Amino acid sequence: QVQLVESGGGLVEPGGSLRLSCAASGSIASIYVMAWYRRAPGKERELVALITSDGRTNYLDSVKARFTISRDNAKNTVNLQMNSLKPEDTAVYYCNADISSSLGRSYITYWGQGTQVTVSS
């Protein structure tokens, strides 16, 4: 079984920083896309950033120049460095990944359980 586990969330002041991490474990052959989504109170889930296996990245426009996504293919992890945090960044952040298992070639989408990020004013 493949699992994604997020960590690094917490409470910070506006202008502060947090680093989120997501570790994939289980019967993993390869990981194509890894991404971070978030869902703020009363709002729909939105894509924050993604990174492909060959290093291509995309960011939500409102977090460009503040957030950086990175991955370690050897460790099956993805990170999100968040700087200059704003109250509107408050949300539950979810790790997402397309993973092929050791049992098959096809990719399956997995989600983590989420980690809370709160930026106080």
Side-chain angles (χ1 to χ4, degrees):
Q1 295 293 316
V2 174
Q3 290 185 317
L4 301 179
V5 179
E6 304 100 331
S7 63
L11 174 64
V12 298
E13 306 85 359
S17 298
L18 283 174
R19 184 177 178 86
L20 305 183
S21 296
C22 173
S25 62
S27 301
I28 298 172
S30 64
I31 304 177
Y32 178 40
V33 176
M34 303 191 80
W36 288 96
Y37 288 76
R38 70 185 182 187
R39 183 162 63 189
K43 297 184 178 180
E44 295 185 357
R45 184 182 64 196
E46 62 183 352
L47 175 66
V48 178
L50 66 82
I51 182 168
T52 65
S53 58
D54 57 356
R56 290 174 291 175
T57 60
N58 284 310
Y59 294 92
L60 181 68
D61 189 66
S62 62
V63 308
K64 288 181 179 178
R66 298 190 298 120
F67 292 10
T68 301
I69 189 170
S70 62
R71 64 188 286 173
D72 186 331
N73 293 330
K75 298 180 179 179
N76 291 329
T77 60
V78 61
N79 302 303
L80 185 68
Q81 179 66 47
M82 304 185 295
N83 300 323
S84 302
L85 284 162
K86 305 175 180 180
E88 50 263 44
D89 294 318
T90 296
V92 177
Y93 284 71
Y94 297 91
C95 182
N96 168 277
D98 292 336
I99 300 173
S100 63
S101 73
S102 300
L103 299 177
R105 185 68 174 178
S106 62
Y107 286 93
I108 299 175
T109 300
Y110 294 90
W111 290 90
Q113 80 287 349
T115 184
Q116 177 70 47
V117 172
T118 302
V119 185
S120 66
S121 60

